[in-house]
Amino acid sequence: MSAFVRVIIDRSIRRELDYSVPEAMIGKVVVGSRVRVPFRDKTLLATVVATLEESPAEGIKPVAALLGEKPVLSATLIELARWMANYYCCPVETVMRSLLPQVIRKAEVGWKKQLFVSPARSATADEIEKLRKRAPRQAELLQAIAQLTGPIAAADLLRQTSLDNGTLRALVKRGFAELREQAVARDPHGTEEFIADADLSMNEEQTAALKLIEHALANPETHPPILLHGVTGSGKTEVYLQAIRATLARGKTAIVLVPEISLTPQTVERFKSRFASQPDMVAVLHSHLSEGERHDEWHKLHAGRARIVIGARSAVFAPLENVGLIVVDEEHETSYKQEEAPRYHARDVAVVRGKMEKCVVLLGTATPSLESYHNAERGKYVLSQLTQRVDQCQMPLIRIVDLRMERRKEKAAAILSEKLRTAIADRLEKKEQTILFLNRRGFSTSLLCSSCGKARECPNCSVALTFHRHDARLSCHLCGHSAAVPKRCPECREDALIYAGFGTEKVEANVAAIFPKAVVRRMDADSMTRKDAYREALHAFRSGKIDILVGTQMIAKGLHFPNVTLVGIINADLALHLPDFRAGERTFQLLTQVAGRAGRGEAPGEVFVQTYTPFSPSIQFARHHDFAGYFQQELEFRERCDFPPFRHVVLITVRSEHETRASFSAETLARRLREALPEEFQLGAPAPAPLEKLQGHYRFHILLRGEAIVRLSRLIRETLDKLPFPDDVAVAVDVDPYQLL
Ligand SMILES: [Zn+2]
Ligand SMILES: [Zn+2]
């Protein structure tokens, strides 16, 4: 029996602490348990990471309390946390915070309890007769209770019978009914009904993919991760579903990661319906759950009642045991990367967890990331391909519209080119639907002065403010700063302000003006603020009540609308000109994904890509649906420039409200790193970030590159630990960054 435990407290002290275990808790406090421990003059929450026979520490204090009976973290998840801390150059305490949802960590929310009614002693004919005369309402309720087949929530029974609580209490007093308190799950999908559906029949390619997965399930210890590269509409989800069924059949559990934005009601429904014959089989974890719902869904998994979890990024830490399969859908999605500490990438963590759990990892996508495809090429992953759309649907025809020519024709560039306008009119006539995509919110993207040339900038960030017509204000998309529209230019006092650039709001207005009879709807972060707005809009679009849907990436992913035959990409150049080595990759992915929304039904799809750079490789390869060609040329570029997947990149951001302190600290840090790092690591000179000012902070970047990433992380951590930064300077280390601005 262990008399001591080592814990990680819920606060970054970068040290693990030992405590003794009081007699009454011996055997109950185990690895993964949550406990309260005395720390300085406080009592803090902590997680047990090891049990010890003895401890070298002095002045050991006892554990104050044990929370819950079953440990909340498995030994594997604790091991995963340590790996993440080392890899992502981040305190293990910070990682632990991500592993457990706050509602579980704090352990303040419990189950929701409700009163349930069930019949008790049955009444004699005489008693019923008496009751009818003296208390007819009680008699009526008694009759309803007698017909029950199982316990029912008291509130539901009273609602159904329109009787009151007093009547029920009287029956309980007479001994005809029983009331019992019972925990009820706050199920985020509790009000929906899921009808069990059967497996769909699969084509040859899908069957081959499933066979490969089944083979991996039989040899999980040795099988490398599988990269399922399937074109849009090739039926990847069906492969996932049948792979999960095969996993369950082996008595194992499954984790499915989906980008938050694709975790639509439609997606959840597909998984829930497939496994509807076993209630509670599928749990859902995403950021829109209430605290109570998250508590209940998490515990369903923890208790082993739910054996499948579908969720966003953090579901990679789902408390499932005996994991057989981890699916990462849309593995290329950048939203798998967490942009605050711990800055982990859920796909990469999934691969590592898979290795630790000895389970199968399945990465699916229509546009593999360079990293994953490169891994498949050199045999670290096994590649499985779906080249055909299901039901013989054709890949959409992609047409490029050269905006330079359009501009010459019409002088002022229109938002919709003539070709796109004609195509929309044609779809309206045929009662088919159109999606218009623009990756930029708002009405006008800047307010310029035509006299002095200055744009209205955010006072906290180095970006122009966006004009939103619905509230007639200027707002910053980075920090949320909002300002009134000035009458004159505040710089030169001239009455010469003009609106320039456009976002989704203006596209919507423009389309509505050109096609006054069409029903146009906009879907972006501004128009979808209500909880149900997204669901409603999708439903309206699916049922044909909307002709033209205008939106941001919110509509780019995974949606399946058979009646959409036209997709217009308003400006394909937006991502291309960002100072980011992944700009080309993102553009290719976005074009392919958005184009993939067209022609998912019987009618073929057509896509118009409006661009000022029609010959850029990302656009040309996307046009020809040529992933392999695109991959080869992009890979050559990455190799030439020493970028991933050939080198790991680490981005260090030093920021402060005082520009000189930020730059001075960055210089000092770079100097120390230069001294500490062996030559195999490349270190760039510190430079102002492309986004120099953000939320009132001046930012400087240091970019490092190298192959042995864990070693590099350790050296950075050691260097940072030795440097005393002033309090008003913050340093963030991002390993494998996706945000380079
Ligand atoms: Zn001016
Ligand atoms: Zn701002």
Side-chain angles (χ1 to χ4, degrees):
M1 281 293 148
S2 320
F4 298 96
V5 285
R6 188 155 291 166
V7 307
I8 292 177
I9 60 172
D10 285 12
R11 182 181 288 181
S12 288
I13 57 165
R14 300 208 182 116
R15 213 149 42 89
E16 296 177 10
L17 303 170
D18 290 358
Y19 288 87
S20 63
V21 183
E23 195 122 349
M25 291 184 215
I26 288 183
K28 290 179 187 156
V29 178
V30 295
V31 171
S33 292
R34 288 288 282 171
V35 289
R36 278 183 208 284
V37 293
F39 179 74
R40 291 179 193 151
D41 55 345
K42 291 194 177 71
T43 307
L44 295 181
L45 288 166
T47 310
V48 176
V49 292
T51 54
L52 317 161
E53 297 295 330
E54 47 197 72
S55 163
E58 279 169 35
I60 279 197
K61 292 181 194 164
V63 169
L66 168 67
L67 304 177
E69 283 166 19
K70 204 180 153 198
V72 293
L73 286 178
S74 66
T76 311
L77 283 173
I78 292 173
E79 191 190 347
L80 189 66
R82 291 197 194 284
W83 176 85
M84 286 174 66
N86 289 335
Y87 187 95
Y88 291 110
C89 194
C90 169
V92 71
E93 293 92 337
T94 311
V95 178
M96 294 296 255
R97 214 164 51 212
S98 268
L99 250 59
L100 290 171
Q102 187 178 336
V103 62
I104 304 299
R105 232 168 43 231
K106 297 239 161 112
E108 281 162 0
V109 173
W111 293 94
K112 182 177 163 192
K113 299 272 175 62
Q114 244 184 337
L115 281 177
F116 278 76
V117 188
S118 50
R121 161 175 90 77
S122 51
T124 62
D126 202 31
E127 281 173 320
I128 293 175
E129 196 47 45
K130 260 192 208 161
L131 212 52
R132 273 216 184 106
K133 281 185 196 144
R134 287 188 208 152
R137 280 183 306 172
Q138 285 182 41
E140 193 187 326
L141 188 59
L142 181 58
Q143 199 181 2
I145 292 173
Q147 282 164 0
L148 290 177
T149 49
I152 181 175
D156 290 343
L157 176 70
L158 295 177
R159 198 176 318 115
Q160 283 167 20
T161 54
S162 314
L163 291 166
D164 59 21
N165 200 21
T167 314
L168 176 60
R169 296 277 167 182
L171 281 183
V172 173
K173 217 170 168 189
R174 287 179 200 269
F176 294 132
E178 253 175 19
L179 280 179
R180 201 173 304 143
E181 210 180 36
Q182 223 171 295
V184 289
R186 284 153 291 201
D187 185 340
H189 301 273
T191 54
E192 295 154 59
E193 219 175 299
F194 297 99
I195 299 158
D197 61 5
D199 289 352
L200 304 179
S201 69
M202 299 202 294
N203 64 27
E204 249 172 61
E205 288 182 332
Q206 288 172 301
T207 311
L210 182 62
K211 271 228 174 89
L212 176 67
I213 298 162
E214 283 172 341
H215 172 73
L217 284 169
N219 307 279
E221 300 202 3
T222 53
H223 208 285
I226 298 168
L227 177 62
L228 179 63
H229 176 204
V231 298
T232 54
S234 60
K236 290 185 287 293
T237 309
E238 186 60 32
V239 176
Y240 304 154
L241 287 164
Q242 299 198 23
I244 292 168
R245 203 190 280 294
T247 307
L248 297 183
R250 289 179 173 273
K252 300 208 166 166
T253 60
I255 297 173
V256 182
L257 302 186
V258 173
E260 180 90 46
I261 208 167
S262 319
L263 200 53
T264 59
Q266 197 184 352
T267 316
V268 172
E269 189 188 331
R270 232 179 132 189
F271 282 82
K272 287 245 180 196
S273 300
R274 188 60 63 89
F275 301 100
S277 58
Q278 297 133 297
D280 271 0
M281 183 55 107
V282 182
V284 180
L285 291 174
H286 58 73
S287 65
H288 295 300
L289 300 181
S290 68
E291 287 227 309
E293 287 169 344
R294 187 165 304 134
H295 168 274
D296 293 1
E297 294 290 289
W298 189 91
H299 275 287
K300 251 194 245 173
L301 292 159
H302 186 240
R305 272 189 290 134
R307 295 173 61 206
I308 303 167
V309 61
I310 170 162
R313 187 168 61 218
S314 63
V316 72
F317 307 121
L320 280 169
E321 281 174 26
N322 202 7
V323 183
L325 177 69
I326 305 178
V327 176
V328 184
D329 187 28
E330 314 268 3
E331 66 85 24
H332 65 278
E333 258 298 309
T334 51
S335 65
Y336 281 127
K337 172 79 175 177
Q338 176 152 297
E339 292 299 347
E340 60 199 62
R343 296 179 171 78
Y344 69 94
H345 195 298
R347 173 201 61 216
D348 299 341
V349 172
V351 170
V352 174
R353 182 171 182 186
K355 208 176 201 174
M356 290 176 176
E357 303 265 9
K358 298 188 177 60
C359 76
V360 177
V361 178
L362 176 61
L363 313 175
T365 174
T367 50
S369 62
L370 265 266
E371 287 85 350
S372 295
Y373 203 77
H374 185 59
N375 279 335
E377 275 210 326
R378 58 196 184 127
K380 273 185 83 178
Y381 296 171
V382 176
L383 183 65
S384 173
Q385 285 185 299
L386 308 176
T387 60
Q388 304 294 317
R389 285 187 151 188
V390 292
D391 303 329
Q392 278 85 53
C393 287
Q394 295 296 308
M395 290 304 285
L397 183 66
I398 301 184
R399 299 179 193 281
I400 309 287
V401 180
D402 187 343
L403 288 177
R404 298 170 306 178
M405 307 283 282
E406 293 290 313
R407 179 157 226 159
R408 253 167 254 154
K409 254 190 332 214
E410 304 197 13
K411 278 197 179 152
I415 292 176
L416 303 180
S417 61
E418 198 188 327
K419 287 173 191 153
L420 184 51
R421 281 201 302 268
T422 315
I424 296 174
D426 173 61
R427 294 323 188 284
L428 289 171
E429 190 130 306
K430 289 197 246 167
K431 302 256 175 276
E432 294 171 0
Q433 291 169 299
T434 298
I435 286 179
L436 296 176
F437 174 85
L438 181 68
N439 212 0
R440 200 159 58 182
R441 297 185 282 129
F443 194 80
S444 299
T445 45
S446 55
L447 184 60
L448 289 174
C449 173
S450 59
S451 173
C452 71
K454 292 243 165 63
R456 299 308 314 142
E457 274 201 3
C458 173
N460 313 316
C461 314
S462 38
V463 291
L465 294 170
T466 299
F467 174 65
H468 289 256
R469 198 168 67 169
H470 72 96
D471 58 359
R473 286 181 75 81
L474 297 168
S475 83
C476 171
H477 287 177
L478 294 175
C479 72
H481 172 84
S482 167
V485 179
K487 288 215 162 54
R488 312 172 153 270
C489 171
E491 302 284 332
C492 69
R493 315 301 306 164
E494 287 287 323
D495 182 10
L497 292 174
I498 50 165
Y499 293 97
F502 56 87
T504 41
E505 204 183 353
K506 189 163 183 175
V507 175
E508 180 193 20
N510 191 264
V511 171
I514 300 174
F515 305 104
K517 283 186 192 140
V519 182
V520 185
R521 189 76 175 267
R522 175 167 55 94
M523 267 177 97
D524 58 25
D526 298 317
S527 68
M528 297 288 133
T529 46
R530 271 188 314 114
K531 201 182 165 193
D532 298 325
Y534 186 62
R535 185 182 294 226
E536 279 166 24
L538 287 183
H539 183 77
F541 192 55
R542 188 183 315 280
S543 55
K545 289 189 189 115
I546 298 170
D547 301 308
I548 304 170
L549 190 62
V550 178
T552 53
Q553 62 255 54
M554 207 175 252
I555 59 171
K557 310 287 158 67
L559 299 173
H560 178 94
F561 302 111
N563 200 33
V564 173
T565 57
L566 176 65
V567 168
I569 293 165
I570 304 294
N571 185 343
D573 306 330
L574 283 185
L576 265 181
H577 306 306
L578 294 176
D580 179 341
F581 67 90
R582 285 195 182 86
E585 181 180 8
R586 284 193 188 150
T587 301
F588 177 85
Q589 287 168 346
L590 200 57
L591 291 185
T592 308
Q593 296 284 348
V594 179
R597 300 311 114 218
R600 308 280 291 232
E602 278 162 23
E606 197 176 21
V607 180
F608 284 81
V609 178
Q610 304 192 133
T611 172
Y612 284 102
T613 53
F615 298 106
S616 89
S618 338
I619 291 176
Q620 284 299 327
F621 283 116
R623 174 190 189 182
H624 295 110
H625 310 287
D626 181 4
F627 178 81
Y630 165 73
F631 173 77
Q632 284 315 332
Q633 75 90 32
E634 182 71 22
L635 198 69
E636 279 161 29
F637 156 70
R638 298 283 183 90
E639 184 158 30
R640 241 185 358 258
C641 306
D642 264 341
F643 276 125
F646 298 96
R647 290 278 182 287
H648 283 283
V649 170
V650 178
L651 182 67
I652 302 181
T653 305
V654 181
R655 65 180 164 87
S656 170
E657 287 177 20
H658 310 282
E659 191 172 2
T660 47
R661 290 206 194 191
S663 72
F664 180 76
S665 301
E667 294 284 352
T668 313
L669 175 58
R671 207 166 45 240
R672 294 292 172 83
L673 284 169
R674 205 164 291 129
E675 289 159 14
L677 295 179
E679 266 191 22
E680 60 172 295
F681 299 114
Q682 285 166 260
L683 173 73
L691 193 61
E692 223 180 310
K693 200 175 167 200
L694 178 65
Q695 298 177 339
H697 287 85
Y698 292 90
R699 305 159 74 246
F700 286 80
H701 275 171
I702 301 172
L703 196 74
L704 299 102
R705 280 182 265 199
E707 273 179 82
I709 187 66
V710 173
R711 183 146 167 262
L712 180 55
S713 278
R714 202 191 64 229
L715 290 167
I716 293 172
R717 167 59 48 215
E718 287 169 4
T719 309
L720 284 173
D721 283 349
K722 277 185 250 160
L723 264 181
F725 287 105
D727 281 346
D728 51 5
V729 173
V731 179
V733 181
D734 193 350
V735 174
D736 301 338
Y738 276 72
Q739 194 58 263
L740 298 173
L741 291 182

